[in-house]
Amino acid sequence: MTALAKIVHTNPEIEAEPDLTDGFHLVIDALKLNGIETIYGVPGIPITDLGRMAQAEGMRVISFRHEQHAGNAAAIAGFLTKKPGICLTVSAPGFLNGLTALANATTNCFPMILISGSSEREIVDLQQGDYEEMDQLAIAKPLCKAAFRVLHAADIGIGVARAIRAACSGRPGGVYLDLPAKLFSQVMDAEAGRNSLVKVIDPAPAQRPAPEAIARALEVLKSARRPLIVLGKGAAYAQADDAIRALVETSGIPYVPMSMAKGLLPDTHPLSAGAARSTALKDSDVVLLIGARLNWLLSHGKGKSWGEPGSTKFIQIDIEPREMDSNVEIVAPVVGDIGSCVQALLDGMGQGWQQAPSDWIETLKAKRDANIAKMAPKLMSNASPMTFHAALGALRTIVKERPDAILVNEGANTLDLARGIIDMYQPRKRLDVGTWGIMGIGMGFAVAAAVETGKPVLCVEGDSAFGFSGMEVETICRYGLPVCIVVFNNNGIYRGTDTDPTGRDPATTVFVPDSRYDRMMEAFGGTGYHVTNPDELTRAVNEAMNSGRPALINAVIDPAAGSESGNIGSLNPQSGIKKKK
Ligand code: ADP
Ligand code: TZD
Ligand code: MG
C-alpha cells in the first residue's frame, strides 16, 4: 500500500481488503464522476475524513471559518459554472449555518448542494439527545428546491445524481443532501460500488419553447413603439451570451440590465439604457423580460415606476412556467431555457426585421447622456474624506482597465452607488447581494470567484457588509487568492453620524469610529492599505491587483455622505405615531 493510500483509508476493513469500498469513497467518487472538483466547507464530526479523503483524491477542498460563507461560495460557484456548487458541513449547528446560504441560493436560482453529516437516525427520531441532534431533512425541506437522505452506501450514487439533477434542471436552486454518520463507514464490494454510481446525462436538458409562444411574442414585439428588453441574472446564468447580444442588436431594442446581468453586453453599448432606467421603465410600451422576475426589484411590474396603469405589455422568457402572471398579466409567456428561446426569437425575426423606432432610441440616449453628464463632476473630486461618488469614480476607471476582473459588491450606499457608477464590460463579472439584498455574501463569493475562474477579484464592501464575513480574510490569505477588498469605511450602517438620543450607548447604526480594517488583513499575512483620497485609492488598488495577492484597503469615506438604506429608503416603515411638537 502506498503512503497516500495509508492516509486516506481510515476504514480498517478497506485497508485489509482492497476489493471493498465505503460510504466516504462512494460520495467522493460520485461527485468526481459528475465533474465536480471542488468542495467548500467546514470540517468536524462526521465529515472530517470526507474532506481529507476528497483532498487526497485530488478534489479541491476549501475550508472556511464559518459555514455560511462556504455555502455562499458554493452558491456562486453554481452561478458561475452551471454545475452545482458543493457545501459540506457538520450536523445541527454547521447545517444551520449553511442553511442561510442554501435558502439564498434557492431564492436567487443558483444551483448548489448542501451536504451535511447528521447524527444517528434511531436516536434523532426518538429525540434521545444525540451529539448535535437535529431532524435536518425536515428543517431543510421548506427552504430549498429538494431534499434527500441516503441511508445505504449502495444508494449514494443515486442520491448524488438526484441532487445534481434537482439543482440544475428547470429553474436552478439549492438542494439538501443528508448523509448520516453511519453511512460513511458502511462497506460494500468495490465493483458493486462502482456500478452503483450514476453519471448524470444532460443534467439541465434544453427546454425548447413552443412555436406558438414564439409567434405570439414576435407579434407583440412587432406592435411596439417603445420596446425595452430587461436582462436579469437568469440571462447571465444561461451563458447564451452571443445569442442575447444578437437579439439586442438585430431587434435594435434598448435594454436595461439588472444588477448581476450588467456586462452581458458592455454597459457602454449604444443600446444600453441602464443610465436611463427610470425613463425606460416608465415610458416603454412593450417589455421583454429575459431571466428577470417582476419582483420588488422591478416594482412588481406596476405602479408609478411603470407609467399609466395598463400601459406596459410584458413578454417573459423564463424556464419556470409558474413565474408567468405572478405579479401582472404576461401577454406573451415564453417558457423554456433562455438559449433556446432567444435563438427561436432570432430565427423568427429573420432578415429584414424592422428595428425599434429611432425616436425612442434617441429619447433614451438623450436621457442617458444627460444622466451621465450630471454624474461626471461628482466622480472627479479628490477631496478627503472621500464621498462615495469620488471613491467609486476611481474604482470605475480601474474596472474599465481590468474588464476581466470579477467585482463582488455589498453594502447599502456602497452597493447602490457602485451598481450605477461602475460600468461592467463582460458577462458574469458582477456578483452581489441578489434578490434578498442579503449582507454577508462578500468573502464567500470572492473566494469562489477566484477559485472557479482564476481571475482577479475586486470586492467593494460597505464596512457593515464586510463585517458579516470579514473573518474569511484568513481563508483568502491561507489559499493565497488574488482578492483585493476595498472597505468603504464610513463608520457605520448608511452613515457614521447617528447618536443615541439618551447619550448612553453608541447609536444602533454606528461602529468604532476610524477602525482600521486593513490591519485585519495584515494579521494573516496579506497587505493592508489605509487611504483617504481617490488618488491613494487608485494607487493602492492597482498595486494590490498587480501583485495578485490578498489585500485589504481601508478607504475612509465621509461618515455624513450616505443616505438611509441607500436607494431603497422608501421601503423603511414609518412610525404611525406622530411625534409630539
Ligand atoms: P434578477 O434579480 O436579475 O432580476 P431574477 O433572479 O429575479 O433575476 O430572475 C432570474 C430568472 O431566470 C428566474 O425566474 C429563473 O427561473 C430564470 N432562469 C434561470 N436560468 C434560466 C435559464 N437557463 N433559462 C430560462 N430561465 C432561467
Ligand atoms: N442583515 C442581513 C443578513 N442582510 C441585510 N440586508 C441587513 C441585515 C440589513 N442591511 C442592509 O440592507 S444594508 C446593511 C444592513 C445591515 C449594511 C449597510 O451598511 P454598509 O453600507 O456599511 O455595508 P453603507 O455604504 O454604509 O451604506
Ligand atoms: Mg458603511
Side-chain angles (χ1 to χ4, degrees), residues 203-244:
Q207 285 181 229
R208 301 216 161 73
E212 311 83 85
I214 292 296
R216 194 187 296 119
L218 287 171
E219 269 318 299
V220 179
L221 267 187
K222 219 177 262 173
S223 72
R225 297 208 323 276
R226 294 178 308 281
L228 180 70
I229 291 175
V230 174
L231 298 173
K233 62 171 117 66
Y237 174 78
Q239 298 193 15
D241 308 338
D242 292 344
I244 287 171

Side-chain angles (χ1 to χ4, degrees), residues 352-433:
W353 175 266
Q354 183 83 41
Q355 290 224 326
S358 56
D359 55 340
W360 169 234
I361 309 280
E362 286 309 314
T363 306
L364 290 180
K365 189 173 172 304
K367 188 72 201 170
R368 167 181 127 164
D369 293 348
N371 284 344
I372 290 173
K374 204 163 90 191
M375 175 93 84
K378 289 194 200 165
L379 305 182
M380 277 154 50
S381 153
N382 201 39
S384 173
M386 292 182 276
T387 59
F388 285 97
H389 286 85
L392 289 166
L395 297 182
R396 173 185 211 262
T397 306
I398 286 168
V399 171
K400 186 176 182 182
E401 290 164 356
R402 301 172 186 268
D404 69 336
I406 296 185
L407 179 70
V408 173
N409 188 199
E410 59 179 336
N413 293 277
T414 305
L415 174 88
D416 290 335
L417 293 168
R419 188 198 301 118
I421 292 170
I422 301 180
D423 286 333
M424 303 305 297
Y425 301 88
Q426 295 178 13
R428 293 170 296 282
K429 296 295 189 189
R430 188 188 151 83
L431 310 175
D432 68 26
V433 301

Side-chain angles (χ1 to χ4, degrees), residues 177-506:
L177 188 60
D178 192 85
L179 302 183
K182 264 192 198 165
L183 178 77
F184 295 113
S185 50
Q186 276 179 33
V187 168
M188 68 183 287
D189 175 69
E191 197 185 337
R194 265 193 302 279
N195 292 337
S196 72
L197 299 182
V198 176
K199 182 164 167 45
V200 179
I201 296 163
D202 199 8
Q207 285 181 229
R208 301 216 161 73
E212 311 83 85
I214 292 296
R216 194 187 296 119
L218 287 171
E219 269 318 299
V220 179
L221 267 187
K222 219 177 262 173
S223 72
R225 297 208 323 276
R226 294 178 308 281
L228 180 70
I229 291 175
V230 174
L231 298 173
K233 62 171 117 66
Y237 174 78
Q239 298 193 15
D241 308 338
D242 292 344
I244 287 171
R245 189 180 185 126
L247 181 75
V248 169
E249 291 177 350
T250 303
S251 67
I253 300 177
Y255 69 95
V256 166
M258 301 300 287
S259 193
M260 281 177 61
K262 273 166 70 80
L264 211 40
L265 287 85
D267 281 330
T268 48
H269 192 282
L271 287 168
S272 169
R277 189 179 193 270
S278 311
T279 308
L281 300 194
K282 189 154 62 59
D283 293 347
S284 53
D285 61 351
V286 170
V287 173
L288 169 58
L289 300 160
I290 307 183
R293 286 170 286 188
L294 282 177
N295 55 18
W296 69 280
L297 287 158
L298 285 168
S299 311
H300 305 279
K302 55 197 174 194
K304 55 182 190 309
S305 306
W306 290 97
E308 294 301 309
S311 62
T312 320
K313 288 184 184 160
F314 290 100
I315 306 168
Q316 183 161 29
I317 299 180
D318 206 290
I319 201 153
E320 172 57 65
R322 289 179 305 170
E323 186 57 37
M324 307 298 157
D325 310 320
S326 57
N327 285 271
V328 293
E329 181 193 43
I330 302 298
V331 302
V334 182
V335 174
D337 72 274
I338 286 167
S340 301
C341 295
V342 170
Q343 193 55 52
L345 285 178
L346 269 170
D347 294 345
M349 285 176 175
Q351 304 292 315
W353 175 266
Q354 183 83 41
Q355 290 224 326
S358 56
D359 55 340
W360 169 234
I361 309 280
E362 286 309 314
T363 306
L364 290 180
K365 189 173 172 304
K367 188 72 201 170
R368 167 181 127 164
D369 293 348
N371 284 344
I372 290 173
K374 204 163 90 191
M375 175 93 84
K378 289 194 200 165
L379 305 182
M380 277 154 50
S381 153
N382 201 39
S384 173
M386 292 182 276
T387 59
F388 285 97
H389 286 85
L392 289 166
L395 297 182
R396 173 185 211 262
T397 306
I398 286 168
V399 171
K400 186 176 182 182
E401 290 164 356
R402 301 172 186 268
D404 69 336
I406 296 185
L407 179 70
V408 173
N409 188 199
E410 59 179 336
N413 293 277
T414 305
L415 174 88
D416 290 335
L417 293 168
R419 188 198 301 118
I421 292 170
I422 301 180
D423 286 333
M424 303 305 297
Y425 301 88
Q426 295 178 13
R428 293 170 296 282
K429 296 295 189 189
R430 188 188 151 83
L431 310 175
D432 68 26
V433 301
T435 304
W436 269 347
I438 190 172
M439 297 298 115
I441 49 83
M443 299 306 108
F445 278 17
V447 168
V451 166
E452 298 289 336
T453 70
K455 300 285 184 205
V457 179
L458 176 64
C459 297
V460 179
E461 302 270 317
D463 51 343
S464 166
F466 173 70
F468 285 72
S469 66
M471 192 63 209
E472 303 296 346
V473 295
E474 189 277 326
T475 308
I476 290 168
C477 289
R478 188 164 14 107
Y479 290 93
L481 299 173
V483 174
C484 171
I485 304 158
V486 181
V487 175
F488 274 41
N489 188 356
N490 64 345
N491 291 347
I493 298 176
Y494 316 136
R495 299 163 74 87
T497 50
D498 274 8
T499 51
D500 169 2
T502 69
R504 182 171 54 192
D505 281 325

